[in-house]
């Protein structure tokens, strides 16, 4: 797992080259102007980043979760916000590939793998965050259609995407009443709210999705009625790993910037990099990232192997890596002094982007609950 072969190195190198060529040179401008770079996302598809772990017969790359976290770490060195959207898109594509009928797979996944079609994951609702099983968006069957009424909140890519994998309530209260639907973005009755004004992640839109008697064919049901919550949680296992990897990539970029800055910057007659106290800071930052990376790879391997402890390991890795990534980026900003606070140096953008990783895909408090329940057996 820890010694990469030639193919594994090539996968990481390809992702880093994409980040260096297409993401890093534009990241600050996209952030400043709140620009969603759809044209660049289209370029990611032919490289294999639109369906990283979707099957090959529908255009996917059929890679492992272990490969995926290495890809997302490298992409995030260029722009964590864009890399995180690609992760969300992949989660939606995988859910259709994993749980869809052959007709659904061949209808949607090839376009998503090429990124000609952009996908989003729609679970969260206004007033229903961590308690996802309490969602209230209703899907009432009417002949060969479901009639959807409700709203989804904090949906990445909304307004610029083509398809949602949406969790809706087709039955009674609780998780067993939830189903998963493929909802085209152009469905009549589906509208989106204004782009949210956010602390970070400005290079991808975040909007509310409103459903007012929107009609979706019953043929768009993923799996069976009542299986949506399980599908959603299985999707989140991989999403948590990917967002952890995005934190590592952003933090690694911040650390790399800091090493260069301290080597060039002089104070009290010598380069700052020769200051032992600052060297200790760098050593701790490097250690934290390596520890997080090791746990992340361990969790990804467990998910690939369908190991019994995969859920808790994904939760551990998400919590640890997103906390470590933010702390390293924040220290990097501090070590740049006043320059770290300036937009042009890129540190403050990384800090803003990584902060939300501790909240989404399940807050880090919820990750602790997941791990604690696995230890104690508490419901």
């Amino acid at each position: 797992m820890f010694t990469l072969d030639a193919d594994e190195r090539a996968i990481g190198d390809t992702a880093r080259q994409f980040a260096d060529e297409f993401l890093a040179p534009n990241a600050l401008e996209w952030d400043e102007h709140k620009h969603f770079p759809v044209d660049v996302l289209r370029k990611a598809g032919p490289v294999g980043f639109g369906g990283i772990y979707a099957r090959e017969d529908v255009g996917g790359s059929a890679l492992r979760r272990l490969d995926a976290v290495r890809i997302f770490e490298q992409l995030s060195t260029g722009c964590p916000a864009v890399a995180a959207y690609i992760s969300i898109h992949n989660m939606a594509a995988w859910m259709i590939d994993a749980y869809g009928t052959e007709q659904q797979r061949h209808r949607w996944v090839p376009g998503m793998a090429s990124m000609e079609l952009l996908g989003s994951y729609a679970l969260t609702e206004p007033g229903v965050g961590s308690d996802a099983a309490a969602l209230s968006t209703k899907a009432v069957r009417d002949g060969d259609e479901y009639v959807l009424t409700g709203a989804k909140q904090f949906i990445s890519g909304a307004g610029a995407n083509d398809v949602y994998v949406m969790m809706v309530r087709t039955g009674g209260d609780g998780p067993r009443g939830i189903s998963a639907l493929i909802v085209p973005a152009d469905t009549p009755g589906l509208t989106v709210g204004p782009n949210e004004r956010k602390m970070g992640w400005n290079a991808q839109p975040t909007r509310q999705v409103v459903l007012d008697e929107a009609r979706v064919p019953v043929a768009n049901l993923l799996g069976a009625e009542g299986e949506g919550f399980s599908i959603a949680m299985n999707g989140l296992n991989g999403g948590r790993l990917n967002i952890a990897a995005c934190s590592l990539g952003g933090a690694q970029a911040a650390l790399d910037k800091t090493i260069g800055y301290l080597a060039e910057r002089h104070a009290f007659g010598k380069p700052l990099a020769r200051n032992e106290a600052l060297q200790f800071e760098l050593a701790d930052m490097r250690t934290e990232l390596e520890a997080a990376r090791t746990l992340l790879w361990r969790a990804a391997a467990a998910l690939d192997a369908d190991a019994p402890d995969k859920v808790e390991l994904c939760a551990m890795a998400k919590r640890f890596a997103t906390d470590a990534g933010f702390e390293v980026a924040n220290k990097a900003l501090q070590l740049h002094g006043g320059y770290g606070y300036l937009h042009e140096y890129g540190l403050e953008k990384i800090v803003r982007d990584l902060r939300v990783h501790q909240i989404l895909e399940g807050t880090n408090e919820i990750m602790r609950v997941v791990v604690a329940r696995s230890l104690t057996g508490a419901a």
Side-chain angles (χ1 to χ4, degrees):
M1 186 191 305
F2 301 108
T3 302
L4 306 188
D5 62 27
D7 289 340
E8 291 169 331
R9 288 195 299 272
I11 290 169
D13 290 345
T14 299
R16 184 55 182 259
Q17 289 165 9
F18 188 90
D20 290 346
E21 182 176 357
F22 296 111
L23 304 186
N26 303 298
L28 292 179
E29 182 179 354
W30 294 339
D31 177 75
E32 184 174 3
H33 297 288
K34 296 179 172 58
H35 174 68
F36 188 45
V38 173
D39 57 333
V40 172
L41 295 176
R42 303 279 191 238
K43 298 178 189 296
V47 186
F49 297 153
I52 294 172
Y53 31 84
R55 284 171 278 181
E56 290 179 311
D57 68 317
V58 286
S61 299
L63 296 176
R64 302 167 302 171
R65 300 304 181 124
L66 189 53
D67 300 311
V69 296
R70 292 166 180 159
I71 288 170
F72 284 112
E73 178 175 353
Q74 296 305 320
L75 290 178
S76 293
T77 62
C79 179
V82 172
Y85 173 75
I86 296 175
S87 166
I88 293 164
H89 168 90
N90 269 271
M91 182 162 60
W94 174 81
M95 292 168 82
I96 297 174
D97 182 51
Y99 295 100
T101 64
E102 287 303 301
Q103 183 178 10
Q104 290 170 340
R105 293 179 63 243
H106 286 274
R107 164 68 180 87
W108 294 104
V109 182
M112 297 176 78
S114 69
M115 296 201 80
E116 289 302 312
L117 297 178
L118 299 181
S120 297
Y121 173 79
L123 173 65
T124 302
E125 296 183 1
V128 181
S130 296
D131 187 10
L135 66 83
S136 61
T137 295
K138 290 185 178 180
V140 178
R141 186 159 181 171
D142 181 18
D144 292 333
E145 296 178 315
Y146 287 109
V147 182
L148 277 59
T149 305
K152 295 294 179 178
Q153 187 74 33
F154 304 132
I155 307 304
S156 293
N161 65 341
D162 302 283
V163 60
Y164 301 91
V165 175
M166 186 175 295
M167 305 306 141
V168 296
R169 188 163 298 284
T170 55
D173 294 341
R176 294 183 181 179
I178 296 172
S179 300
L181 285 177
I182 303 169
V183 181
D186 60 0
T187 299
L190 186 156
T191 58
V192 299
N195 193 8
E196 303 284 3
R197 299 175 64 184
K198 308 187 294 289
M199 175 180 175
W201 268 27
N202 290 319
Q204 57 161 289
T206 303
R207 292 184 169 93
Q208 187 178 85
V209 177
V210 179
L211 302 146
D212 183 9
E213 297 189 351
R215 290 181 171 266
V216 176
V218 171
N220 285 22
L221 179 69
L222 275 181
E225 283 196 1
E227 293 181 352
F229 190 77
S230 175
I231 291 172
M233 294 302 104
N234 287 337
L236 280 175
N237 286 330
R240 287 165 181 167
L241 296 182
N242 293 347
I243 211 66
C246 290
S247 286
L248 289 182
Q252 186 65 56
L255 176 57
D256 292 342
K257 288 175 183 288
T258 304
I259 293 169
Y261 175 79
L262 295 182
E264 296 173 0
R265 174 80 168 171
H266 285 66
F268 307 105
K270 62 181 180 181
L272 288 176
R274 290 174 56 188
N275 183 300
E276 191 173 68
L278 301 185
Q279 290 176 354
F280 287 177
E281 289 277 17
L282 293 177
D284 286 346
M285 292 159 73
R286 172 74 172 87
T287 302
E288 288 296 308
L289 291 186
E290 190 60 31
R293 186 175 294 113
T294 300
L295 178 56
L296 177 60
W297 290 11
R298 164 82 170 89
L303 189 57
D304 282 326
D306 196 25
D309 56 352
K310 64 182 180 181
V311 174
E312 62 182 295
L313 281 168
C314 289
M316 289 180 201
K318 192 272 180 180
R319 199 285 299 169
F320 190 82
T322 57
D323 281 350
F326 177 76
E327 291 302 324
V328 166
N330 197 38
K331 286 182 180 179
L333 189 154
Q334 182 73 18
L335 291 172
H336 275 73
Y339 294 103
Y341 206 64
L342 300 181
H343 182 73
E344 65 191 270
Y345 280 75
L347 270 300
E348 59 87 31
K349 175 195 179 297
I350 294 173
V351 171
R352 289 187 287 107
D353 281 348
L354 297 195
R355 181 60 183 87
V356 74
H357 295 187
Q358 296 169 293
I359 299 172
L360 52 82
E361 310 288 32
T363 67
N364 284 3
E365 290 76 17
I366 291 296
M367 296 305 96
R368 290 177 171 89
V369 170
V370 171
V371 176
R373 284 177 176 173
S374 73
L375 293 171
T376 64

